[in-house]
Amino acid sequence: MEKSKTGLWDPNRPFRPDKSPFFYGWAIAVLGAIGMIASTPGQTIGVNVFSEKLIVDLELSRTQVSLAY
């Protein structure tokens, strides 16, 4: 007798994805993209646009800015 899947490993938890009116994978993709965009200011690509301005205004070398980052 096979034990039914319940608890944490149940594929229908917290709801049944096949009953959703849209493909659930797209919701995951959109939320993932929003998360990546929201984290950009803390990443190198978000900080890099200010590097030249920091070097000039604070009279630092590129190495000092890199170490501070």
Side-chain angles (χ1 to χ4, degrees):
M1 184 170 177
E2 185 177 317
K3 196 175 183 182
S4 66
K5 293 182 179 181
T6 58
L8 186 61
W9 303 112
D10 182 12
N12 294 319
R13 181 186 171 158
F15 61 90
R16 290 184 56 137
D18 60 340
K19 299 295 181 189
S20 179
F22 59 91
F23 180 59
Y24 192 61
W26 286 115
I28 299 299
V30 168
L31 291 173
I34 290 170
M36 289 174 59
I37 291 167
S39 69
T40 299
Q43 302 298 324
T44 304
I45 193 169
V47 175
N48 191 36
V49 295
F50 302 106
S51 293
E52 294 300 322
K53 192 81 167 148
L54 288 170
I55 290 169
V56 172
D57 290 349
L58 299 176
E59 299 174 357
L60 297 172
S61 69
R62 190 168 300 278
T63 304
Q64 289 171 320
V65 171
S66 296
L67 286 172
Y69 177 68

